[in-house]
Amino acid sequence: MTSPTLTAQDLWPLARKLDAQERIRLVRLLLVTSSRVRSDADAYEATPPGDHEFSSDEEGALAWEGEGWEEFYASR
């Protein structure tokens, strides 16, 4: 069974609920998916990482201790 095809008119009530910044983001995403060239560079241009994505907060996911990794270093 195939799912029904959505139209832009079907999505319009949801798009109207977005704030201006999210509407711009949606337009960029649509342009990237509609373009002929689909690359990582296009995707990042359309939706660059937000400030929170690569936070330098020590409590964040990217924070890690530099000690204890000696056993994983390759010998030279």
Side-chain angles (χ1 to χ4, degrees):
M1 178 156 86
T2 61
S3 60
T5 302
L6 290 174
T7 66
Q9 196 65 32
D10 295 330
L11 298 175
W12 181 239
L14 292 174
R16 287 181 29 196
K17 292 180 181 181
L18 298 173
D19 64 18
Q21 185 176 358
E22 283 299 304
R23 284 185 188 181
I24 291 169
R25 184 170 175 249
L26 176 61
V27 168
R28 288 179 177 170
L29 287 169
L30 291 170
L31 288 173
V32 167
T33 58
S34 299
S35 69
R36 292 183 203 169
V37 178
R38 293 184 184 164
S39 68
D40 290 340
D42 292 334
Y44 276 109
E45 185 177 338
T47 55
D51 294 336
H52 65 282
E53 228 170 311
F54 294 105
S55 173
S56 61
D57 180 12
E58 289 188 25
E59 299 292 324
L62 293 179
W64 56 279
E65 295 293 325
E67 298 175 4
W69 291 90
E70 294 81 12
E71 67 183 280
F72 298 104
Y73 292 138
S75 59
R76 295 180 185 199

